[in-house]
Amino acid sequence: MSGNTFGTVFRLTTYGESHGPALGGVVDGCPPGVPLDAALIQRDLDRRRPGAGGLTGTARKEPDAVRLLSGVFEGATTGTPIGFVIENTNQRSRDYEEAKNLLRPGHADGTYLAKYGRRDYRGGGRASARETAARVAGGGVAGAFLAGCGIEVAAYTVEFGGIPADIVDIAGAADRPFCAPDPAIVPAWEARAKEAMASGDSLGGIVEVTATGVPAGLGEPVFDKLDARLAYALMGVGAVKGVEIGNGFAAARLAGSANNDPIVTPPESNHAGGILGGISNAQPVVVRAAVKPIPSIAVSQRTTDIAGNPASIVVGGRHDRSAIPRVVPVLRAMVLLVLADMVLLQRTVR
């Protein structure tokens, strides 16, 4: 199965399925001497792990304890491949037996079957959102490297269930329900979540990721532009259906005089999202991802079985009611991986 390695110089390869014995990965290309231990990676994993989703989270409980296998000695990277493993401890595969021959709407069941001629029906196998635990761990390594470069990345929810939030306090978002950037929006989001849960339905949202301290010059024209790589990275997350940089789609409704950022010191605006010509311009890099509603819902849906016969399905088992907030650290991790790769690529140029 191809498509399991991300990056050019700073590379992450992941493995594992939702109901297998473990997930994990290998980070290659990380320079030596980067301070790193499992506790640093664990902090990010704890924000993504099952059970950390609050109102919208799954009932599946996993510690997601990461164990470093190689590439770290005496608290710092050695420059060799960094291997890690995250064990699955709370699988309940019997939840999927009853519907194993049905194709779940909104899932990858049919497409995996079309591609490989077989599929792992236990929680979606490799297509499960559980796969993203390995991305968060890899992003933790990238974050440790970028910290030494003065680059910081924050992620937070700017819309949930169709209700937008003001960006008031980014620093506190990670420790707030839904990763909300405004404490005042939390009650409205909680009410929206309870409403969806009562009907057996699910919700989506929009997550914004901001990178500060990014130097000018990152990005590889023309096919590996920084914004192109960011879009590629975020679209590779299963729940993401759209990505925009800076003004994004709103730019299409503006005149050039309104969309252009005056080149003055200090900067007056950042409509470009910190990227011009595919290269960072030293302003904060701002990217947003549209996250679809979780397709596993307790509502009857029309479908077919694997033989093509009409059927209906109500998806049982333990599922999130929204990818938010657990997807937030995943999207942050993907931005970290892109920036780490771009920093190292830039070192080959200058």
Side-chain angles (χ1 to χ4, degrees), residues 92-115:
R92 203 167 74 189
S93 301
R94 64 180 183 273
D95 288 345
Y96 299 91
E97 283 291 333
E98 184 177 344
K100 67 180 182 180
N101 292 321
L102 297 177
L103 303 179
R104 297 169 297 170
H107 289 75
D109 298 343
T111 51
Y112 264 63
L113 196 59
K115 183 171 182 63

Side-chain angles (χ1 to χ4, degrees), residues 315-341:
V315 180
R318 301 171 297 174
H319 306 285
D320 292 276
R321 293 303 181 190
S322 177
I324 290 170
R326 292 178 58 215
V327 75
V328 176
V330 178
L331 300 178
R332 177 177 178 270
M334 295 309 297
V335 171
L336 288 166
L337 288 165
V338 170
L339 292 175
D341 200 27

Side-chain angles (χ1 to χ4, degrees), residues 207-221:
V207 175
E208 184 169 282
V209 187
T210 302
T212 55
V214 178
L218 301 189
E220 302 295 318

Side-chain angles (χ1 to χ4, degrees), residues 42-267:
Q42 193 64 52
R43 179 191 61 190
D44 295 329
L45 281 169
D46 286 346
R47 292 187 172 122
R48 193 226 68 96
R49 65 177 174 81
L55 273 177
T56 59
T58 174
R60 179 174 176 175
K61 306 296 181 185
E62 291 280 0
D64 278 1
V66 66
R67 184 158 55 98
L68 296 175
L69 305 177
S70 64
V72 180
F73 180 66
E74 295 182 338
T77 59
T78 62
T80 58
I82 301 168
F84 61 87
V85 63
I86 303 165
E87 293 184 2
N88 289 326
T89 65
N90 192 221
Q91 309 97 312
R92 203 167 74 189
S93 301
R94 64 180 183 273
D95 288 345
Y96 299 91
E97 283 291 333
E98 184 177 344
K100 67 180 182 180
N101 292 321
L102 297 177
L103 303 179
R104 297 169 297 170
H107 289 75
D109 298 343
T111 51
Y112 264 63
L113 196 59
K115 183 171 182 63
Y116 299 106
R118 60 186 304 175
R119 66 185 178 91
D120 183 348
Y121 61 83
R122 304 166 304 166
R126 187 72 172 150
S128 169
R130 178 128 185 81
E131 172 270 330
T132 61
R135 304 191 196 202
V136 173
V141 180
F145 165 65
L146 291 172
C149 304
I151 297 174
E152 296 184 359
V153 177
Y156 40 92
T157 305
V158 294
E159 184 174 314
F160 174 72
I163 303 173
D166 293 326
I167 300 175
V168 175
D169 175 29
I170 292 175
D175 299 315
R176 200 172 287 130
F178 305 98
C179 289
D182 179 8
I185 200 65
V186 172
W189 284 359
E190 287 178 338
R192 185 73 181 94
K194 290 176 181 177
E195 179 184 81
M197 290 169 63
S199 64
D201 221 329
S202 62
L203 298 169
I206 299 174
V207 175
E208 184 169 282
V209 187
T210 302
T212 55
V214 178
L218 301 189
E220 302 295 318
V222 290
F223 296 117
D224 282 326
K225 296 174 180 176
L226 178 55
D227 40 6
R229 289 287 294 274
L230 287 168
Y232 171 73
L234 297 185
M235 285 297 298
V237 177
V240 173
K241 301 302 290 184
V243 174
E244 61 179 12
I245 313 290
N247 275 359
F249 284 95
R253 298 185 288 271
L254 297 175
S257 57
N259 190 60
N260 288 345
D261 296 304
I263 302 177
V264 296
T265 304

